Amino acid sequence: MDLLYSSTRNSEKKITASQAILKGLADDGGLFVPESIPALDVSVEELSKMSYQQVAYEVMKLFLTDFTEEELKNCINRAYDSKFDTTEIAPLKFADGAYYLELFHGSTIAFKDMALSILPHLLITSAKKNNVKNEIVILTATSGDTGKAAMAGFADVEGTQIIVFYPKNGVSPIQEKQMLTQKGANTHVVGIHGNFDQAQSAVKAMFNDKALAETMDAAGYQFSSANSINIGRLVPQIVYYVYAYSKLFAQRAVAKDEKINIVVPTGNFGNILAAFYAKNMGLPVAKLICASNENKVLYDFFTTGEYDKNREFILTNSPSMDILISSNLERLIYRIAGNDANKNAQLMASLAKDGKYTVTPEMKEKLSDFYGNYTSEKETAEVIKKLYEDTGYIIDTHTAVAAGVYDKYKEATGDTATKTVIASTASPFKFTRSVMDAIDPKYDSMTDFELVDELSKLGNVKVPNAIEEIRDAKILHNTVCDVDQMENTVKKMLGVQ
Ligand SMILES: *Cc1c(COP(=O)(O)O)cnc(C)c1O
């Protein structure tokens, strides 16, 4: 029996995993969720002897049940190969009492690579399985990291086009240069005069526009999504939590069934939702610690039960978390509503209309798996500096937000004993200026690439390929548009009238 998927806003229509991957978002605007969360069917002893690719297969086969073993293994082996600069794929580094799970060893040095290196293969396999003839157009809104990782994954993949929208003034200089130098005849990058939420809302609106879908279909195109709303991104993200636990077990850092905490620097709620799914699969997890930057809408939600996006959008030094509408939270809301699509749809309608909703006391009680807090800009810089001075280990701004919240969690709860994994979501080389500024203001006068070399010396780590590549790379994209021109830009780029 296949595990089927339905929308968080209507559970009547059920589709297979490959169909959900192809569609990205449900027609009613909801997100696809599996009917149930499957339980892991291998023991931690077995997992602890496996490679990353083997663990990936054990986890993903349970969710993507309409893929054959050969199809799935093929996708996995093509994704997690020498694009990663370590055969471990996601190594754990111990520093100052916590295990940093380094998710940034892929081709664009952010954790998005963990899922976006496999998504194109899952998508192309899904298209074949479902006899899709149209060319697939990936529309993606990015807060900085998804865009590059998605383009790196989809560049020159036959049968696909990819169009990325990013906030023109809301990403780091290195992030922007990484995107604007992207090669591949099927890649398109557009800066918008607006923020990430506006980009994401406009992209979702295009997905939901039936007339637009018909126009595209007539021209031989159909849209899909590389954003974390796509189940094909969420499922590969569950893998590294299972992998991390099995590595801790292999190192005897945890005993069998010993629970760990997981801290995740959160924006769109995709990464931490994957950790929640891992817990529901049976992984021994105590608290899921949700870390926000000054855009602390999730902290307020976990504290009060009210989600309210009506507030100032703050540009921070952890730009990939500058988000006020955390799309994947909808999957959690659906879950704590008792998998009740109607109840969830009502709350989402209220979010669309008033920019806020409040969950019931019973729903709020079911959030006890989570602890939420936030780290201010000033605290984030202090965390980077202190960890560097105490241990020599240099972390990026997003990871520092998580480390800062972990400190607050320990202080608030007194729980210093539970072994804790912190998701380290980006290489410090991606946010070099903020990181170096935090360590010492004297670096202020250096250029971005001088800072890269300085960081390499200071942290005693080689400059990643992803950075070397863009030093002298040519800018290949220069389109900028207003938010209300995004649809026209898509049509123009595809030559559709
Ligand atoms: C995308 C991103 C995040 C946020 O992850 P979500 O899944 O959107 O919550 C955190 N850190 C970095 C570096 C990212 O690129």
Side-chain angles (χ1 to χ4, degrees):
M1 269 284 283
D2 273 332
L3 178 66
L4 296 178
Y5 290 76
S6 63
S7 164
T8 47
R9 300 188 193 174
N10 176 355
S11 21
E12 262 150 50
K13 197 165 168 239
K14 300 202 190 305
I15 60 176
T16 61
S18 66
Q19 288 165 340
I21 289 170
L22 275 172
K23 283 193 76 76
L25 194 67
D27 290 333
D28 55 27
L31 277 60
F32 289 112
V33 279
E35 286 174 302
S36 62
I37 309 282
L40 275 170
D41 59 3
V42 278
S43 69
V44 64
E45 285 89 350
E46 289 169 280
L47 287 166
S48 68
K49 297 186 191 90
M50 290 184 192
S51 66
Y52 190 88
Q53 293 81 353
Q54 288 168 318
V55 174
Y57 177 71
E58 293 303 329
V59 172
M60 293 177 65
K61 71 168 194 204
L62 300 171
F63 283 94
L64 310 182
T65 56
D66 67 329
F67 283 62
T68 65
E69 176 171 351
E70 192 194 344
E71 284 169 342
L72 191 52
K73 286 190 170 164
N74 207 355
C75 290
I76 289 169
N77 292 332
R78 291 170 74 168
Y80 305 111
D81 60 7
S82 58
K83 288 192 285 301
F84 286 77
D85 67 11
T86 158
T87 51
E88 285 180 273
I89 307 293
L92 280 168
K93 299 270 167 71
F94 185 77
D96 191 30
Y99 294 87
Y100 287 83
L101 177 60
E102 294 189 349
L103 301 172
F104 55 75
H105 288 272
S107 51
T108 75
I109 60 175
F111 95 96
K112 305 296 196 288
D113 290 323
M114 302 305 296
L116 284 165
S117 51
I118 193 164
L119 182 68
H121 303 293
L122 296 176
L123 200 77
I124 290 303
T125 310
S126 299
K128 280 199 196 114
K129 296 175 82 68
N130 291 281
N131 298 314
V132 170
K133 299 281 182 292
N134 282 336
E135 195 160 20
I136 294 169
V137 180
I138 305 293
L139 290 186
T140 293
T142 183
S143 56
D145 289 332
T146 290
K148 176 65 186 183
M151 286 191 290
F154 280 98
D156 293 324
V157 170
E158 218 174 294
T160 69
Q161 297 283 329
I162 172 158
I163 305 178
V164 167
F165 295 96
Y166 74 97
K168 181 70 193 155
N169 297 316
V171 300
S172 84
I174 301 241
Q175 283 179 312
E176 184 169 45
K177 188 151 188 207
Q178 277 189 306
M179 287 191 276
L180 298 185
T181 56
Q182 176 65 47
K183 293 182 190 149
N186 65 338
T187 65
H188 313 270
V189 187
V190 185
I192 64 153
H193 301 300
N195 62 38
F196 171 74
D197 284 331
Q198 291 169 303
Q200 175 162 258
S201 297
V203 164
K204 278 188 174 176
M206 283 190 261
F207 281 128
N208 287 332
D209 185 333
K210 298 231 161 60
L212 181 62
E214 279 165 25
T215 310
M216 287 294 153
D217 188 51
Y221 293 116
Q222 71 187 59
F223 292 139
S224 188
S225 167
N227 277 104
S228 56
I229 51 174
N230 194 317
I231 197 82
R233 251 188 79 179
L234 198 54
V235 171
Q237 291 180 177
I238 301 170
V239 173
Y240 44 77
Y241 293 112
V242 176
Y243 179 74
Y245 189 89
S246 59
K247 287 299 154 223
L248 287 176
F249 180 80
Q251 294 171 20
R252 296 171 195 273
V254 294
K256 191 171 162 53
D257 298 330
E258 181 179 336
K259 288 187 176 171
I260 60 165
N261 293 323
I262 298 176
V263 194
V264 186
T266 296
N268 224 0
F269 210 76
N271 202 5
I272 194 164
L273 187 79
F276 176 70
Y277 278 14
K279 176 172 181 166
N280 283 281
M281 292 181 83
L283 198 73
V285 175
K287 282 284 176 196
L288 296 157
I289 301 175
C290 176
S292 302
N293 65 21
E294 289 181 4
N295 294 293
K296 59 183 183 56
V297 62
L298 287 165
Y299 164 64
D300 293 339
F301 170 68
F302 284 118
T303 318
T304 66
E306 182 189 57
Y307 192 92
D308 185 357
K309 75 163 178 97
N310 303 306
R311 59 181 76 205
E312 190 196 347
F313 186 102
I314 302 167
L315 292 176
T316 72
N317 287 320
S318 44
S320 303
M321 298 160 65
D322 289 346
I323 293 176
L324 294 178
I325 309 174
S326 297
S327 289
N328 272 294
L329 186 66
E330 179 168 348
R331 288 187 164 114
L332 180 66
I333 298 296
Y334 171 81
R335 174 93 179 185
I336 61 170
N339 297 346
D340 183 336
N342 286 334
K343 207 164 177 182
N344 173 65
Q346 277 166 19
L347 294 175
M348 293 306 134
S350 150
L351 179 65
K353 186 165 161 283
D354 306 321
K356 58 183 178 182
Y357 59 80
T358 306
V359 299
T360 63
E362 299 108 67
M363 286 169 75
K364 185 163 183 287
E365 242 167 63
K366 293 192 198 147
L367 293 174
S368 61
D369 283 336
F370 292 87
Y371 169 88
N373 212 324
Y374 74 102
T375 308
S376 71
E377 288 291 275
K378 186 163 164 282
E379 290 165 337
T380 303
E382 287 163 1
V383 166
I384 294 172
K385 185 178 166 70
K386 181 160 189 310
L387 188 65
Y388 166 66
E389 287 175 353
D390 291 353
T391 69
Y393 187 54
I394 303 180
I395 54 175
D396 100 290
T397 46
H398 303 74
T399 309
V401 166
V405 165
Y406 179 48
D407 287 338
K408 291 183 186 185
Y409 165 82
K410 284 188 287 190
E411 207 172 294
T413 61
D415 172 22
T416 52
T418 308
K419 308 287 187 333
T420 296
V421 167
I422 296 179
S424 181
T425 50
S427 158
F429 286 96
K430 202 155 187 175
F431 301 93
T432 324
R433 183 165 297 280
S434 308
V435 169
M436 294 300 277
D437 263 355
I439 291 175
D440 195 329
K442 78 175 182 206
Y443 294 117
D444 221 26
S445 56
M446 290 188 182
T447 67
D448 286 314
F449 284 98
E450 283 168 351
L451 286 175
V452 161
D453 293 327
E454 204 60 30
L455 172 58
S456 170
K457 272 190 248 156
L458 218 57
N460 198 19
V461 271
K462 210 174 131 256
V463 177
N465 252 343
I467 298 293
E468 289 298 358
E469 245 170 45
I470 59 165
R471 260 186 218 267
D472 305 308
K474 273 210 196 70
I475 301 290
L476 300 173
H477 305 266
N478 59 11
T479 308
V480 178
C481 77
D482 288 333
V483 175
D484 62 7
Q485 286 303 310
M486 286 168 60
E487 182 179 323
N488 276 339
T489 305
V490 168
K491 286 183 172 163
K492 221 182 282 163
M493 286 179 152
L494 299 172
V496 175
Q497 289 310 308

